[in-house]
Amino acid sequence: SSSSSSCCVFSAAKLPPPPQRQLPAVGGGNAEWNVYRCSEGKRCEAADCNLWHSDSERRCKDFARGSCAKRDCKEGLHVALADVNQIVTVDLDKPIEAKAVLQANKGKSVNERARVVRLVLYGFAWVRRQLLRDIFEVFPLVHEVMLPDRTRDANLLVAWCDLIEELDCAKRAPRMREIIFSDGHAEALW
């Protein structure tokens, strides 16, 4: 089990706890995960592909091999696979607080933000898509979204698939592939 930290914004109202679920495994033990480009790019459908699909998720090859010490490296992310284990929780029903979480995370380095593997989102609504676009852009290695206050619904799943396409998540958060509902059931987004 991986350790994780959580950045939470909760209102006075009691929100349902997210379902208990193991964090996604990142990289499958491949130390060179995301250091080489996938020839399929955004069209790649392999959930376990070890290659990068967008510059936003590319890891520095030298860092992966333990030899890059550049502070502002332009060759990719400086993040160890074991460190991609953090969770960020946002209550979208509280847009001001949600934007505060977004701003707090924008203030972190891209390498710190790349440690986020799961987003827990309360209060999902289509009208929040611009805020979601901004959120996805901040966390380049997010793998899944959890909606602990939403039951599994075919229409909601279709809306999320449309949202993923509209937000161009293949570029912003290319590893985001699953949505998890309040009962813990996961569905593939693409």
Side-chain angles (χ1 to χ4, degrees):
S1 172
S2 299
S3 64
S4 66
S5 67
S6 184
C7 174
C8 300
V9 173
F10 292 104
S11 64
K14 181 80 172 146
L15 296 173
Q20 294 297 309
R21 182 179 166 90
Q22 187 170 359
L23 292 174
V26 176
N30 182 346
E32 292 195 342
W33 178 79
N34 271 16
V35 299
Y36 298 104
R37 183 182 184 137
C38 177
S39 62
E40 295 292 317
K42 294 193 299 186
R43 294 179 310 279
C44 181
E45 294 184 17
D48 60 349
C49 183
N50 285 316
L51 308 172
W52 61 268
H53 307 89
S54 169
D55 284 330
S56 66
E57 69 167 330
R58 181 181 64 176
R59 289 176 63 230
C60 171
K61 185 184 334 177
D62 292 334
F63 177 83
R65 294 177 179 165
S67 63
C68 185
K70 295 176 189 168
R71 185 165 177 83
D72 293 321
C73 180
K74 304 294 185 216
E75 299 304 313
L77 298 169
H78 280 207
V79 62
L81 299 182
D83 292 338
V84 184
N85 62 4
Q86 295 182 7
I87 300 168
V88 171
T89 301
V90 181
D91 185 353
L92 297 170
D93 279 335
K94 305 287 182 187
I96 292 171
E97 294 172 2
K99 288 177 184 175
V101 171
L102 180 62
Q103 290 307 314
N105 280 285
K106 278 184 175 180
K108 297 177 181 178
S109 76
V110 68
N111 297 317
E112 289 179 84
R113 292 182 279 126
R115 295 176 178 197
V116 175
V117 69
R118 177 184 293 156
L119 293 173
V120 179
L121 302 175
Y122 289 91
F124 168 74
W126 189 256
V127 296
R128 307 265 192 261
R129 67 184 177 271
Q130 181 58 49
L131 181 57
L132 288 168
R133 175 191 311 261
D134 295 342
I135 289 170
F136 292 133
E137 197 151 312
V138 169
F139 304 110
L141 294 182
V142 68
H143 280 55
E144 60 188 27
V145 169
M146 189 174 275
L147 303 176
D149 60 346
R150 298 290 190 258
T151 56
R152 185 171 169 261
D153 173 275
N155 292 325
L156 183 58
L157 183 59
V158 169
W160 264 94
C161 290
D162 289 345
L163 182 67
I164 295 303
E165 188 173 326
E166 178 185 322
L167 300 181
D168 196 13
C169 281
K171 178 182 174 191
R172 287 179 172 77
R175 293 288 168 174
M176 194 179 69
R177 303 239 176 189
E178 286 191 321
I179 188 166
I180 302 138
F181 296 97
S182 60
D183 63 358
H185 184 84
E187 290 281 350
L189 289 168
W190 55 289

